[in-house]
Amino acid sequence: MSRRVRRKGAQLKNKGKESLQCYLEIGDESLCIERKVEVDWINLPDDTVLQLFSCLNYRDRASLSSTCRTWRDLGSSPCLWDSLDIRAHKCDHTIAASLASRCSKLQKLRFRGGESANAIMHLHARDLREISGDFCRDIGDATLAVLAARHEALESLQLGPDFCEKISSDAIKLIAFCCPKLKILRLSGVRDVDSDAINSLAKHCKQLAEIGFIDCRNVNEVALGNVSSVRFLSLAGTRNLKWSSDSLLWKSSHNLIGIDVSRTDVSAAAILALLSSLPNLKLLCALNCPILEEEGDNLAYYKKGSLLLAIFNDIFKKVASLFVDSTKSGRNVFSDWRNMNNGNKNLNEIMTWLEWSLSHTLLRIAEGNPEGMDSFWIKQGAALLLSLMQSSQEDVQERAATGLATFVVIDDETATVDCGRAEVVMGDGGIPLLLNLARSCREGLQSEAAKAIANLSVHAKVAKAVAEEGGINILADLARSMNKLGTIAGAGGIKALVDLIFKWPSGGDGVLERAAGALANLAADDKCSMEVALAGGVHALVMLARSCKFEGVQEQAARALANLAAHGDNNSNNAAVGQEAGALAALVQLTRSHHEGVRQEAAGALWNLSFDDKNREAIAAAGGVEALVALAQNCANASQGLQERAAGALWGLSVSEANSIAIGQGGGVAPLIALAHSDAEDVHETAAGALWNLAFNPGNAFRIVEEGGVRALVRLCSSSISKMARFMAALALAYMFDGRMDEIALVGPSSECHSKSLRLEVDKRMALRNIEAFLLTFSDPESFAAAAASSAPAALAQVAEAARIQEAGHLRCSGSEIARFLSMVRNSSSILKACAAFALLQFTIPGGRHAMHHAKLMEIAGAARTLRASAAASVAPIEAKIFAKIVLRNLEHHKSLSITNQKLPFVSIS
């Protein structure tokens, strides 16, 4: 007996990754090459090779440079190494030293994590102008001091958005002393920024135009007034600021034209003081400031020429007022500005800073998901994020994409996506925009766009929109690109690169994880799952499951394969996954992973795949029985999801009698009994299904008795809130005590057999008593009496409807199981007679998924004669008689339907 469980899409959380798989990538649309065109890679013009190299990450660029002397010279061109992004790959001092010869003219660097920060000095890039770091929690004063001392020409330093809790004011003083050319300083999550640190900046950094002390615990706001050169100041998310007029000495900062106090406890009075005291202030951002928003209605004073951006304002309209041209309005204001050819330096500086500030603030608000923000997100927040995703600033684009991925998810634990927010993104053209970014050659942006698509695709309408926009091909390409040389090979370039061997390091890739997650969400939809398969998604995902060592990728790949296999009644994906070379063996191996999420998704995939006969046997041949028994034995303290899937996979495999016997002999009975004791409905229901299948075999039935399974099944039969769990527990008990187990149980010395016989008799009476109690819950005496007296169709229909267990229509029996129930109808026990007739009623109710299949099996087995005899028997219980009459009526219905509609064939029987 088997049941398929449809897998649902799940939200993919944003996880920072510090060691990511590297790969070769060509993502710029202008460089797309038709796959059928042969390319002479050796004789490409130098400009073309340089353009190609510019689309690659630094590791691929360095690797390709080793191909030949010409490419080595071109690959070292300074124009390719004026900026470097090492976030997507592990970069230690050895790798940094190997890149040093190319980095003498390096101007801009982006890194991730403490190890990469320590490696930067080995690049020997003395002329670095910009440094930007992510995931800087482990970076302390010593690292930052060396970083500053080695790069005296530094003009911009940005560390965040993660908190830099190990950085103190001492490090800021060293930065000020070592980097006198500093123009931009943005630090997130510093515990304390004291007056000495700020005064050092004022003293040594005369060109400092922008300061950002974001999400800091304490900042000396009085000293900020001493940094007279500052034009833009961000204190967003910073706590413990004093907003009294005496403390706001920024009024001496005549150069200040932009301030961000978003996510603080700023009051309306403080806002008015800032607007009135700063003569050149043009822009004041105060988003998600609870006190200000409570007092917003009373904020009546505005200084001409100054803008206040708050939740209660139309931000697009306010920004548009910065422009002399009044046509720059509406939601296109940012794109209109980017397309302008103007020499207004001040305006460009303001808009550039505003994009950065908004992207950071919106991301933080999305991460916090405060209450009362729905209206803001629907009316303008989503549109702001989409507009910022088109910025020319890379970090703004990435943060906006991350914010978009985050704000649609309102509950991480349940993977709940806000439908209204998702539909606004879709309605504002967000899907094609995200798909375009997913094709980018910039890995960071590609990764965040893929994550946004993954989260949005949880919503069915968005998933279909992604498919209609051609997104499945894009995401399948991302998922299959473990070895990015495949992109070049598909374009005809394999001939020129035949001698090139890359030894890619093992590890994971955020892009692959998020792309596989998006495919998993898309595959939960029947139609979309077909398109995923047609786009080569099965091969791509199996490759990830087999080859990738990164647990996040393994988990999402297994989940995607589970979803692809969940539509076996509607398409051929289940069989296709099983037929893909190495798929089943890889999933079996993943059930042994140290990562619980990987084990859970792999078990879920095997559960769904086990509903195909060939897959079921192939899983067993790949060691699936032993692996899943071991998984069940070790998941007593695991999550309910893992417990359910472990039991479910054993349930699916145990449909085969050979597998059922192997599970019993391999120790699978005890852990299933333990799972049957679970209070979680999904877990004990699935365990009951597996035990029901196992109990069909007399040897397994005796093992269940010996392991104390009778009490577990009796408990389910009598007290589970799940009708299905009670039903399957009752049928398992019926299998165990219909007499077939006695031949095995009562083997041995006579004294031992006598003792066993007494124990079995006690268990049998307890089992039959609870089966009877279960059946009586579906028996109304008046309805049964009326049906017995008249056998009228209406009376039988009333009983059938009251007895129906809706989910039982999804169960599918084999011919031997149907024969077992028919034999049980003839059993001497009146309770077993009624139980068998009740089961056959469930399996043949019109409208059930497999009712026609069961009707055909019963026709072959000659069920009509047995059922008529039962219905007419004078000594049979009334329940058995009425249930038998209903089954006969069902069989007549299916027979007449088959005759009148020859186009509806019965399911073939093996």
Side-chain angles (χ1 to χ4, degrees), residues 83 139 201 210 309 318 359 432 521 625 651 719 794 843:
S83 66
I139 295 178
L201 292 171
E210 180 183 338
L309 302 187
K318 289 288 184 181
S359 67
N521 292 336
V625 170
W651 182 7
S719 61
F843 303 146

Side-chain angles (χ1 to χ4, degrees), residues 340-591:
M340 288 172 59
N341 293 318
N342 71 88
N344 191 332
K345 182 180 178 181
N346 286 338
L347 177 61
N348 291 339
E349 286 182 347
I350 291 172
M351 292 296 291
T352 300
W353 175 78
L354 177 59
E355 282 191 334
W356 190 92
S357 295
L358 283 177
S359 67
H360 193 286
T361 292
L362 292 174
L363 173 57
R364 282 297 194 214
I365 294 174
E367 290 172 338
N369 193 25
E371 294 183 0
M373 294 294 291
D374 284 346
S375 178
F376 168 76
W377 287 122
I378 297 295
K379 291 180 179 178
Q380 54 182 334
L384 282 168
L385 288 171
L386 291 174
S387 183
L388 294 171
M389 280 169 53
Q390 301 170 69
S391 171
S392 60
Q393 301 180 72
E394 293 182 14
D395 52 347
V396 170
Q397 279 188 301
E398 289 182 24
R399 257 194 305 275
T402 306
L404 199 70
T406 306
F407 97 103
V408 296
V409 180
I410 55 177
D411 190 331
D412 285 344
E413 294 300 322
T414 59
T416 303
V417 167
D418 187 285
C419 295
R421 297 181 185 183
E423 289 177 12
V424 166
V425 173
M426 182 173 63
D428 286 348
I431 303 306
L433 177 58
L434 284 167
L435 291 173
N436 188 50
L437 296 180
R439 286 190 288 256
S440 169
C441 62
R442 287 165 24 213
E443 289 175 311
L445 182 57
Q446 190 183 73
S447 176
E448 297 308 321
K451 176 197 162 206
I453 295 168
N455 287 357
L456 286 163
S457 296
V458 174
H459 185 38
K461 290 183 179 179
V462 178
K464 291 179 180 178
V466 169
E468 291 169 359
E469 293 284 348
I472 292 178
N473 284 328
I474 296 171
L475 296 172
D477 284 343
L478 288 175
R480 69 164 59 94
S481 52
M482 168 70 74
N483 182 350
K484 288 294 180 171
L485 289 177
T487 305
I488 296 178
I494 190 67
K495 186 182 297 183
L497 299 176
V498 67
D499 295 326
L500 182 63
I501 299 174
F502 284 101
K503 294 182 180 180
W504 304 101
S506 61
D509 193 314
V511 173
L512 295 180
E513 178 183 1
R514 288 156 182 167
L519 286 173
N521 292 336
L522 292 165
D525 177 82
D526 181 21
K527 181 178 178 182
C528 290
S529 72
M530 287 295 295
E531 296 189 40
V532 170
L534 291 173
V538 172
H539 176 73
L541 292 163
V542 169
M543 186 194 69
L544 292 183
R546 294 182 63 188
S547 305
C548 186
K549 303 304 180 185
F550 185 66
E551 290 166 343
V553 178
Q554 292 174 342
E555 180 179 357
Q556 295 307 320
R559 184 169 72 88
L561 291 170
N563 282 356
L564 282 172
H567 310 282
D569 294 326
N570 302 320
N571 61 49
S572 59
N573 285 348
N574 192 305
V577 173
Q579 292 167 6
E580 184 70 30
L584 301 180
L587 289 168
V588 168
Q589 183 61 34
L590 291 181
T591 63

Side-chain angles (χ1 to χ4, degrees), residues 70-87:
T70 300
W71 280 24
R72 182 170 64 249
D73 293 340
L74 290 173
S76 300
S77 300
C79 65
L80 294 174
W81 298 92
D82 59 350
S83 66
L84 183 61
D85 187 347
I86 58 176
R87 293 176 300 160

Side-chain angles (χ1 to χ4, degrees), residues 698-699 702 736 739-748 753 756 760:
F702 184 61
M736 293 162 63
R740 299 196 184 191
M741 180 180 65
D742 297 348
E743 297 178 3
I744 293 177
L746 302 179
V747 173
C753 288
K756 286 182 183 180
L760 285 175

Side-chain angles (χ1 to χ4, degrees), residues 828-857:
S828 60
S829 167
S830 62
I831 295 174
L832 290 179
K833 287 178 185 287
C835 182
F838 180 78
L840 293 172
L841 181 156
Q842 302 299 330
F843 303 146
T844 58
I845 286 180
R849 179 178 294 178
H850 303 295
M852 291 287 289
H853 166 76
H854 296 144
K856 183 63 176 179
L857 292 177

Side-chain angles (χ1 to χ4, degrees), residues 15-70:
K15 301 175 183 177
K17 305 295 184 299
E18 295 206 13
S19 179
L20 303 178
Q21 180 78 17
C22 68
Y23 52 75
L24 179 65
E25 176 184 73
I26 304 177
D28 193 321
E29 292 85 343
S30 64
L31 291 179
C32 288
I33 303 171
E34 292 294 333
R35 294 186 179 274
K36 295 182 180 180
V37 177
E38 292 289 336
V39 179
D40 186 353
W41 292 90
I42 297 175
N43 295 313
L44 287 175
D46 289 354
D47 289 346
T48 302
V49 175
L50 287 173
Q51 184 68 13
L52 171 65
F53 278 8
S54 70
C55 295
L56 305 179
N57 63 60
Y58 75 94
R59 299 186 69 148
D60 297 329
R61 195 184 306 157
S63 297
L64 276 182
S65 297
S66 65
T67 307
C68 62
R69 181 178 301 174
T70 300

Side-chain angles (χ1 to χ4, degrees), residues 18 86 89-97 109-125 128 131-148 150-151 157 159 166-167:
E18 295 206 13
I86 58 176
H89 313 285
K90 179 179 179 180
C91 185
D92 55 22
H93 68 279
T94 303
I95 294 174
L109 176 69
R110 303 185 73 179
F111 72 91
R112 173 169 290 170
E115 184 178 24
S116 294
N118 290 320
I120 290 174
M121 55 280 301
H122 296 282
L123 293 172
H124 302 302
L128 259 179
I131 294 179
S132 176
D134 300 340
F135 296 95
C136 299
R137 291 181 181 273
D138 296 331
I139 295 178
D141 286 357
T143 300
L144 195 55
V146 174
L147 202 64
R150 293 289 185 94
H151 304 99
L157 176 62
L159 301 179
K166 295 184 178 180
I167 294 176

